[in-house]
Amino acid sequence: MNKSKIRSVALGVLALLGSVGGLNAAVIQAGDYTIVLKNFDSGTVGYGNTPTVKCITEAGCDSVPGISKALGSLGSVNPSADTMGIFAVQSITKGSALSPYWSPSAGDNLVGVFGNLMDRSVTVSDNAGAGSCSPGTPGGCTSTSRSSVGQFSIWSTVTGPNVGNGPTVVPGIKDLNALLYPSISDSGSLFLSGFFGTGVIFGDLLSTFQATFNNGTISGGSSGYLDFTGGSAFGLFNTNNQTDPNGGKHDAFADFTFSATDPGAESAAYLAGWNVSSAAKVLGQAIPEPDSLALFAVALLGLATVARRKVNEPKG
């Protein structure tokens, strides 16, 4: 192969590298990131409006009199699950600079399913002093829960999730605790998967998620650490750089705010059976996308092969 052919190959490789580098830069780069989520949840409620410790085990929480189990747990592969739902990624930004990495567009969506969060302890307390919390005044009560387990998956899809499918279980087709949801898990390619890591509360090495909310409005906040296990973006987000209060390492930290689903502004979700509306920020660090480096290595190997062939060509 002559020098002009080698040069053509090299220019072609560099052009390809340039196009891939441009795509990677448009999606995400190394450094801190913030992922913003919009969620609709199916959650267990109704632990009562009298101040006391309601339960201290998963089985005990399942047996609290008067609770309304999450609709998505009825007939599920995990009937003990208490929090599950669907979500759409609203944006990915560089956290420290507020510069955008990614936002949804026509034919380009990141959507997900989560489930299997099981309440393992629930405490109801007065939120404004003795006597403010009673069966007649749920707004005077605050519930605090700790959960265990929990998994999630994020999919790259052409369209967004169909909220109208609702959380009701259809065995083998729609079950949030099996991470199955039509319009999400059957419609794209896996972007990220993972689980909620233990250690979110100091001194508690079993809980993976904590939540506090007002019993009257179901408004409050929750949080947990995330550990990624697979998907096309696993190599980018698998960093283990978030430290929990017990010193454990995780890939990201998720902070949620939530309230009861609004029957007016969120009527489609409300009518479909989603009883909680939430938003979240997921914080973490990304590492350089390896694809361009791998491609560059392949390109160098190809050029080296061409060079060797040139050296070994018989002199003419």
Side-chain angles (χ1 to χ4, degrees):
M1 183 178 286
N2 59 33
K3 290 182 179 178
S4 64
K5 288 184 178 180
I6 295 176
R7 182 174 181 274
S8 296
V9 171
L11 289 175
V13 168
L14 290 174
L16 183 58
L17 286 171
S19 65
V20 172
L23 288 173
N24 289 339
V27 177
I28 198 158
Q29 301 166 345
D32 60 317
Y33 65 82
T34 300
I35 303 176
V36 176
L37 310 176
K38 170 61 181 173
N39 321 315
F40 284 114
D41 309 348
S42 177
T44 296
V45 293
Y47 282 102
N49 298 309
T50 53
T52 187
V53 176
K54 298 294 182 179
C55 52
I56 56 173
T57 65
E58 292 163 5
C61 291
D62 281 342
S63 302
V64 172
I67 63 169
S68 178
K69 282 292 289 186
L71 189 58
S73 69
L74 305 180
S76 170
V77 293
N78 184 2
S80 291
D82 294 294
T83 304
M84 61 227 68
I86 60 174
F87 59 88
V89 177
Q90 304 293 292
S91 65
I92 304 177
T93 60
K94 184 172 178 59
S96 61
L98 298 179
S99 56
Y101 283 141
W102 178 91
S103 60
S105 60
D108 184 15
N109 297 272
L110 292 174
V111 297
V113 189
F114 69 94
N116 292 308
L117 285 164
M118 297 178 287
D119 291 345
R120 59 181 300 269
S121 74
V122 177
T123 300
V124 175
S125 57
D126 285 303
N127 61 19
S132 66
C133 175
S134 68
T137 56
C141 308
T142 294
S143 288
T144 301
S145 65
R146 300 184 181 191
S147 302
S148 60
V149 195
Q151 290 92 27
F152 61 89
S153 61
I154 306 174
W155 297 77
S156 175
T157 63
V158 173
T159 60
N162 184 350
V163 173
N165 285 334
T168 305
V169 173
V170 180
I173 298 174
K174 183 179 56 168
D175 187 338
L176 297 166
N177 299 303
L179 302 182
L180 295 175
Y181 191 84
S183 76
I184 297 180
S185 57
D186 63 348
S187 302
S189 58
L190 185 64
F191 181 74
L192 272 177
S193 61
F195 60 90
F196 290 81
T198 58
V200 67
I201 301 167
F202 179 71
D204 180 346
L205 300 180
L206 296 176
S207 296
T208 61
F209 199 69
Q210 61 177 346
T212 301
F213 59 92
N214 180 279
N215 288 15
T217 61
I218 316 298
S219 59
S222 54
S223 60
Y225 287 90
L226 308 180
D227 292 297
F228 303 126
T229 57
S232 61
F234 172 69
L236 181 61
F237 291 96
N238 179 36
T239 58
N240 259 350
N241 77 326
Q242 299 290 303
T243 305
D244 68 39
N246 297 290
K249 294 293 185 179
H250 308 276
D251 295 320
F253 176 74
D255 188 22
F256 299 78
T257 57
F258 58 87
S259 61
T261 304
D262 190 320
E266 300 171 320
S267 58
Y270 178 83
L271 293 173
W274 303 107
N275 63 339
V276 177
S277 173
S278 63
K281 288 184 178 181
V282 179
L283 308 175
Q285 292 276 332
I287 60 178
E289 176 64 60
D291 290 350
S292 59
L293 297 178
L295 183 58
F296 187 67
V298 170
L300 291 179
L301 179 62
L303 289 175
T305 300
V306 170
R308 283 196 299 272
R309 287 178 179 172
K310 174 62 178 176
V311 169
N312 294 326
E313 280 181 359
K315 307 296 183 180

